[in-house]
Structures are given as C-alpha cells and as structure tokens.
Amino acid sequence: MLKKQWKEYFLTGKIQSWRPMLIYFEIFVLPIYIRMVMLGKDNFSWKGGMGETVLMIGFLLVAFSEMTHPIRRGKMYYLCPRSREERLQEIRDAYHFRCMLHLIVMSVMCGTLYLMKGVNVYSAGYIFLNGILASFLSQVSNSNKSMLLNLFLTPAIVMGSLFQFALPTEDLQRVDIIFLICCAVFFVMAILPAFWSMKKCIDQEIEEAAVCEEVRDHA
Amino acid sequence: MIVFSGIHKRLGGFTLKDATFEIPEGYICGLVGRNGAGKTTLLNLLLGLLQPDAGSLQVDGLEYDGNEKELRKLLGCVLVDELFEGRLSLAENAAYFGSYYEAYDDDLYRERLEQFRLSPKKKFKELSKGAKLKCQFAFALAIRPKYLILDEPTANFDPEFREAFWKILKEFIADGEHSVLLATHLTEDLDRMADYLLFLDGGELIFSGDMENFRDSYRIVSGEDYLIRNIPEKNVIGSEKGAYGTKALVTHRRSVPEELSSVAPSIEEFMYFYSVGRQK
C-alpha cells in the first residue's frame, strides 16, 4: 500500500499552479526571514541562522509538494475503469500519504531548528503548529469555501507567526502565566477554528475530486 | 451497442438537442459536423466526462449511474487533450494507467509503439502532437476495449500513418464485435472507410444511419438552373448557382428530372450544401 502510494507520488507530480508557493512564502517563510532580520547583528548566530534556513527550506519543500500534487487528478484518471467510491478512496489515501510526508519533513526541520538554535519549547511548539497546518493544506478549487479558508487561515497563521516574535528565545523564566493564557486563548479562538475550517474544505475538495471536473462543473 | 436516447445537454450558449441514435457492433462510425456542432460534447457524454441533462445513454445495456467501472472497461479513447503524464516515458505512462485496466496488454502496447516508430523510453512531453496521438492510440488498443472513441486524431497524422491507422481500425472491427466512433473533419477518409455516419449541426443530429442509407437518401444533382428549380422545394436541401449551371443537394432521388446528372454525395458535399441551405 505504502509502496504504491510512494510510487504514485513520484510518478504523477507536475507543477499545476504557483499559488501554493506564493501563499507559503507570504505566510510561512516571510515571517521567519523577518524574525532573522529583527534579531539584529548582536543577537545573530550562524548556528541559529542555519536552523532558520533549514526551517524555511522545509516550508518551501512542502509548498513544492503541494504545487505538484493537487488533490484533483488529470483527465486520464477519470477515464480509467473505477467506480466513484474507489476513486474517492484512492484520492483520500493519496492526500493522507502526502500529509504524512509533509509532517515528516516539518518535524525534521523543526527539530533541527530546535537543536541548532536552542529556541525554547513554546517557540518550537508554535512553529511546529504552523508546520502541521502547512502539511495539511492543499490546492483547492476556487469555490467560496476555499476563499473562506484563505481568508480565515491566512490571518490565523500570520498572527501565529507574529506570536513567535513575542516568545522568548532563550530565557524560559520570562514566560509568565498571562502569556500562557494569551497563547491558549489564541489557540482556541484562531488555530482550532482554522483547523476545522480547513478540514471541512479539504473534505469537500476530496469529495469533488472523485468526479471528473467537467461532470461536476456542468452538472 | 451504443444507444443514445433523447440526450439533451446544455453547455453555456450551446445545446445538444435530443440526440437519439444507435451504433451497432462491427461498424466504423464517422461523426462529422462543423466546428461547434457538438461533436466533442457528444463524445464527452459517451465517455462520461459530461452528464446529460435529459435522456439516457447505454453501452451494451450499461449506464454510468451504477455501472461506471464496467462501462469504462468497454471504452478506449484518443482525445485531442494530452491524457498522459508529460514527464513520464511512454512505457511508464502505460504501466501506470494500464494498472487500472484488467485487460491491458503491455506486449501489444510495445508492439504498436514499435509499429508507429515510437520509443517506449521517450518522454511523453518530448513527442510531437501527432506522435502523442499515436502513443495514446497504441494505449487505447492495448487495453483491448470493445469500442474505440477517437476525437479528431487523423488531422495530425502523416499520410503514411493514416493508411496504417485505417488498416488497424478495419482489423479492429473485423470480428463484428467491436466498433469505432471517429470524429473528424477529414471526410474523404470516411467516404472510403466508414460504415455509419452521424452528422451534427448546431447541436442537432441531422443524419444518423449507415452509409448505404446515406447514399440512397441524398443526391447531388447538377444541370440547368431552371431544371433544378422545378424540383419541389421541400426536397432541395441546398443549391448553388455556378458559371456553368447549378448544383444542388436533394433528398428524394425520384424527384430528380432525368435531364439532370445525379450522383451520390460525398460527406463533404453533403455538409457544404446543408450549410448553404441553412444560410438561405
């Protein structure tokens, strides 16, 4: 099963749209770069810089994977003998496999950042949270739901990235209870609904991808 | 047998109206019509890439609703769109998509590629337009379908290959159990090879039937203009006055005066005079 997914992942990838790369650059990579700049000359370390760079590469790899592997398949796939249920299952499996690959990449990159720069566990946690969101994102059709997703998710992630600036990088003593409450409120108010919204949107996209685009658009 | 019953499909400003016809086994069926007549819409409906708004479509008694998998096994297609993955080789493409077909025959695919002078190692995106179609044609044959659905492939084939292409189609239908539906603008080949004809105009199916019936039903008559004007108007589909006389497409051969010369129309003549008559 995994072997088949692995083979299919590498056989069928092709650049479908540059949009994921732009979105990822805007909401994931840019904040990392700004944070590096804001650290300033005095606080900059080569080790830390390398850790941040590794993280940026991680986000870009995931963006590239999403660029080349949208949920929807090419026309030939819909001409092959498959029932709607079989297509639905195959498309869902392929999406889950891709998310798993992304999560592995993001875990390795976040772990590297944590080890190399020595960011504290809260900071690493927030960065990894963004990594999880990035791993599950996917190209979706231009429906209202995808608009809702982008409108909702983008500010949530940007706010999450901004929070990273406020988090202490080395001194855990500076983390007080008010700050932790703020983080928890932010998580419940922004991150969880963002996850929920994204899940619904992706489920819808998978359902729609089980039917050929032409059939769906003209139905 | 492919059966369309009262198929109706609206796409933007275009409507395919009440398409009703049957294509039996053992036929090469030509699908002709001007650009925008509805040929591709009809093929997309048959391939399940579009759903009809009304009417029913059956292939060997199977409908897409509930029997999609079984029905798709019966159909092989070559479309103008590039169906294969560009960065994969021809062999990789066939191995990947062939895995979805129980009847896929890799030896036959490679045999056809060799016959078409295509290397299985070559990447699909590196092929010319005609070579891409040849490759898709080889794959369509290798899945051993009962019906071949071909959308305008011949225009991109060189004359030498076109002869081989027709030979393969003749072999394909020779057992009387397979059929080909071929949409094309190159009607000369169809005049020679097709057994059955579907003619679409403006989304309406104007003619559907075998070629014998087609040749019996219509005549191209030419001669003095006054003689042609004597033919009952309802029998004249279209006419054109030239420097040396008038030529017309008529429906009923018995209505043709003996003084006029009369021949069976070619598909191209039929399409032309039909369009002339419609403009008037």
Side-chain angles (χ1 to χ4, degrees), chain A residues 8 10-14 73 75-83 86-87 90 212 214-215 218, chain B residues 9 11 47-51 68-69 72-73 77 81 83-85 87-88 96-97 100-101 139:
Chain A
E8 196 175 281
F10 285 99
L11 278 181
T12 58
K14 76 174 173 192
R73 305 281 183 101
K75 191 185 255 186
M76 183 67 190
Y77 175 72
Y78 297 96
L79 290 166
C80 292
R82 278 283 180 274
S83 65
E86 284 173 320
R87 278 198 298 266
E90 284 171 359
C212 180
E214 282 153 314
V215 172
H218 300 301
Chain B
K9 179 71 190 174
L11 289 171
L47 290 169
L49 296 174
L50 287 174
Q51 268 181 340
E68 185 179 349
K69 189 175 178 179
R72 288 196 184 283
K73 284 180 191 169
C77 65
D81 301 344
L83 297 174
F84 278 179
E85 297 284 341
R87 70 183 184 88
L88 300 187
Y96 175 59
F97 290 113
Y100 290 110
Y101 291 87
F139 182 77

Side-chain angles (χ1 to χ4, degrees), chain B residues 42-203:
Chain B
L42 192 141
L43 293 184
N44 282 343
L45 284 161
L46 177 56
L47 290 169
L49 296 174
L50 287 174
Q51 268 181 340
D53 298 330
S56 74
L57 186 169
Q58 290 188 342
V59 180
D60 286 1
L62 302 171
E63 292 188 4
Y64 275 105
D65 195 10
N67 294 297
E68 185 179 349
K69 189 175 178 179
E70 293 308 309
L71 197 157
R72 288 196 184 283
K73 284 180 191 169
L74 301 172
L75 306 174
C77 65
V78 179
L79 304 182
V80 184
D81 301 344
E82 290 174 14
L83 297 174
F84 278 179
E85 297 284 341
R87 70 183 184 88
L88 300 187
S89 71
L90 306 194
E92 286 168 333
N93 262 304
Y96 175 59
F97 290 113
S99 67
Y100 290 110
Y101 291 87
E102 287 163 18
Y104 171 68
D105 183 342
D106 196 55
D107 292 338
L108 177 62
Y109 176 69
R110 284 171 188 272
E111 203 178 291
R112 289 298 182 196
L113 287 185
E114 200 182 327
Q115 184 188 354
F116 304 162
R117 293 180 202 155
L118 295 171
S119 163
K121 289 178 188 164
K122 193 130 183 166
K123 289 205 187 316
F124 186 70
K125 67 180 175 191
E126 291 167 0
L127 300 178
S128 67
K129 182 97 185 150
K132 281 175 180 166
L133 290 168
K134 284 179 192 175
C135 163
Q136 287 173 186
F137 182 49
F139 182 77
L141 292 166
I143 61 171
R144 298 193 180 281
K146 185 167 177 189
Y147 301 99
L148 265 180
I149 317 298
L150 313 170
D151 190 9
E152 313 264 9
T154 45
N156 293 289
F157 292 159
D158 51 84
E160 186 194 341
F161 181 75
R162 221 179 310 169
E163 282 307 313
F165 169 77
W166 283 108
K167 195 170 167 237
I168 292 168
L169 293 191
K170 280 282 176 196
E171 285 167 9
F172 180 76
I173 61 152
D175 61 3
E177 289 177 3
H178 297 77
S179 286
V180 176
L181 176 58
L182 169 68
T184 182
H185 284 295
L186 299 176
T187 55
E188 274 177 39
D189 289 341
L190 285 182
D191 279 319
R192 286 189 298 131
M193 303 291 190
D195 313 296
Y196 206 86
L197 184 70
L198 298 173
F199 173 54
L200 280 168
D201 190 72

Side-chain angles (χ1 to χ4, degrees), chain B residues 220-223 228 238-242 245-249 263 269 273:
Chain B
I220 289 283
V221 293
S222 49
I228 286 175
S239 65
E240 193 177 57
K241 208 170 171 181
T246 299
K247 220 171 173 186
L249 174 73
V263 288
E269 283 171 324
F273 280 102

Side-chain angles (χ1 to χ4, degrees), chain B residues 228-239 249-251 255 280:
Chain B
I228 286 175
R229 274 192 274 129
N230 280 343
I231 302 171
E233 208 172 303
K234 64 180 167 75
N235 292 339
V236 180
I237 293 170
S239 65
L249 174 73
V250 297
T251 52
S255 66
K280 281 180 183 169

